[in-house]
Amino acid sequence: MLMKSIAAGLAGTALLATVAFAQQSPTATTDKAPTAATTTTTSASDQWRASKMSGLKIYNEANENIGSINDLLMDKSGNIKIAVIGVGGFLGMGEHLVAVPFDKLKFVNEAVAYTSTSATNPPGRPASTTTTGAATGTDKTATTTSSASKWYPDHAVFNASKDELKNMPEFKYSE
């Protein structure tokens, strides 16, 4: 029994050593032309991850929650052109999808400010008398800075009410 264990251990060691030698790169040159692999940066602290944008809450200029981003649509060169926003509904049921120009959204890194804790403001809904500072203007990259980057903005601001979005034509994905 001991001899079988020793033999199995030696066979395993020999197998692992073979794999390690096979992973070493050859020192001889090949006939292929070298590829030009370049990177833009090793740190992207001022960038946002597209995968984190789905579900991002959208507020209007009165700090009312009007929906959330469901999808981002880009052109063939990779520029984001349209944000698909889900309005209303519950857990995806009965949600009205609308397409808005991406450059009309203003992204904000700071949380929505609340002015009071009165019972008139339901949980999760900001007071209507505060703004975050990035809700106005024409600069589509206007943001307020946060001390720590979490790779996505806190929320976006779009100049419309929830009823106005619900009255927009419904966005449908073509097949």
Side-chain angles (χ1 to χ4, degrees):
M1 183 72 157
L2 180 62
M3 290 302 283
K4 287 183 181 180
S5 298
I6 292 173
L10 287 174
T13 303
L15 183 61
L16 289 175
T18 305
V19 172
F21 285 122
Q23 289 181 354
Q24 292 180 352
S25 61
T27 57
T29 59
T30 60
D31 293 336
K32 294 182 181 179
T35 59
T38 59
T39 60
T40 57
T41 181
T42 58
S43 171
S45 61
D46 61 339
Q47 304 294 314
W48 290 326
R49 294 175 59 186
S51 61
K52 297 289 187 178
M53 298 299 272
S54 181
L56 189 73
K57 291 186 185 229
I58 308 284
Y59 292 88
N60 62 13
E61 291 178 345
N63 285 346
E64 298 168 329
N65 185 349
I66 58 174
S68 63
I69 295 178
N70 277 26
D71 208 348
L72 298 174
L73 306 177
M74 64 178 79
D75 61 14
K76 298 205 185 295
S77 63
N79 297 319
I80 299 173
K81 296 294 184 182
I82 295 174
V84 178
I85 298 176
V87 184
F90 181 71
L91 297 175
M93 301 298 292
E95 189 172 50
H96 182 75
L97 297 179
V98 296
V100 299
F102 185 73
D103 61 353
K104 299 294 182 190
L105 294 174
K106 310 295 183 235
F107 294 96
V108 182
N109 277 340
E110 294 179 353
V112 176
Y114 298 97
T115 57
S116 68
T117 58
S118 67
T120 60
N121 292 328
R125 173 169 271 181
S128 60
T129 58
T130 60
T131 59
T132 58
T136 60
T138 58
D139 183 14
K140 65 181 172 183
T141 60
T143 60
T144 55
T145 53
S146 176
S147 61
S149 175
K150 55 185 175 184
W151 292 92
Y152 59 94
D154 181 75
H155 66 279
V157 177
F158 184 70
N159 188 16
S161 70
K162 188 178 274 193
D163 289 334
E164 289 172 330
L165 287 176
K166 285 182 178 180
N167 290 331
M168 289 177 67
E170 185 172 8
F171 176 79
K172 296 194 185 272
Y173 293 96
S174 62
E175 293 184 35

